Amino acid sequence: MAISKDQKEQIIEKATKDLGESKALIFADFTGTNVSDFSKLRAELREAEGKFSVIKKRLLGVLFKDKKIEFDPIQLEGTVGTVFVRGGISEAAGSLYRFGKTHPGFGLLRAYDLETKEEISQEAINAIGSLPPRHELLGQVVGSIAAPIRGFMYVLSEKAKKA
């Protein structure tokens, strides 16, 4: 069904607002994803400071041209959804990556960092998405730092028992 010019203007106006608040964009192919699964994904993305929107590629092209973003969304294959990322790109990409693992047909296509004005390839965004969440990485770093201290304390404890 065709949309009217007024509807297109409203979509572009809303997307302009979302784009102004975003640090990055992630593009995903959502072929075959049903509405109930989308609701769960959108809720998870809200926690990761992201917003999933379905905007026609031509309208995205118009928006990007207005904002002088050098990215052509028409080059993307399939039914494309755009995630406006206000927080860290790794949290949103992780949510999308994990969702794609359980839903065939869903996949990350590319991303665009609005701060550095660089395109992120499909391989790179999938690699970012496959990383553990931030809190797990921090736990691993703390564990790595604490391990030698814990080992040293164990050695001192055993020496004290023998003495």
Side-chain angles (χ1 to χ4, degrees):
M1 183 169 87
I3 57 177
S4 69
K5 186 174 182 177
D6 288 338
Q7 289 172 321
K8 290 177 184 178
E9 288 174 356
Q10 289 175 353
I11 290 169
I12 289 178
E13 183 179 312
K14 187 176 178 186
T16 301
K17 180 180 179 267
D18 290 338
L19 187 66
E21 297 171 351
S22 301
K23 295 179 181 178
L25 302 171
I26 301 174
F27 304 100
D29 181 358
F30 62 93
T31 304
T33 307
N34 62 39
V35 176
S36 63
D37 290 338
F38 256 127
S39 298
K40 293 173 189 171
L41 175 62
R42 284 188 164 128
E44 192 173 330
L45 284 171
R46 273 192 292 276
E47 291 176 17
E49 296 185 70
K51 180 180 179 184
F52 194 99
S53 297
V54 178
I55 303 170
K56 290 187 175 203
K57 292 184 253 187
R58 285 199 194 283
L59 291 178
L60 273 177
V62 169
L63 174 65
F64 292 168
K65 189 174 182 181
D66 289 346
K67 296 295 180 180
K68 296 182 178 36
I69 295 173
E70 295 182 25
F71 182 82
D72 184 17
I74 295 175
Q75 68 185 341
L76 300 171
E77 304 260 336
T79 51
V80 177
T82 306
V83 179
F84 295 91
V85 182
R86 291 184 298 269
I89 194 169
S90 62
E91 287 86 9
S95 296
L96 292 166
Y97 181 81
R98 288 186 297 278
F99 184 82
K101 285 291 188 190
T102 59
H103 295 82
F106 187 92
L108 297 174
L109 297 173
R110 292 205 184 123
Y112 187 83
D113 190 336
L114 294 167
E115 294 177 333
T116 62
K117 301 197 183 299
E118 291 180 355
E119 185 177 335
I120 301 170
S121 70
Q122 183 177 15
E123 295 80 20
I125 195 66
N126 278 309
I128 292 169
S130 67
L131 292 172
R134 185 174 190 268
H135 66 275
E136 285 182 26
L137 286 174
L138 290 174
Q140 291 173 359
V141 168
V142 169
S144 297
I145 292 170
I149 297 169
R150 192 175 318 126
F152 180 67
M153 295 302 291
Y154 177 75
V155 169
L156 289 179
S157 171
E158 291 301 313
K159 287 284 189 182
K161 288 179 185 176
K162 290 181 181 177

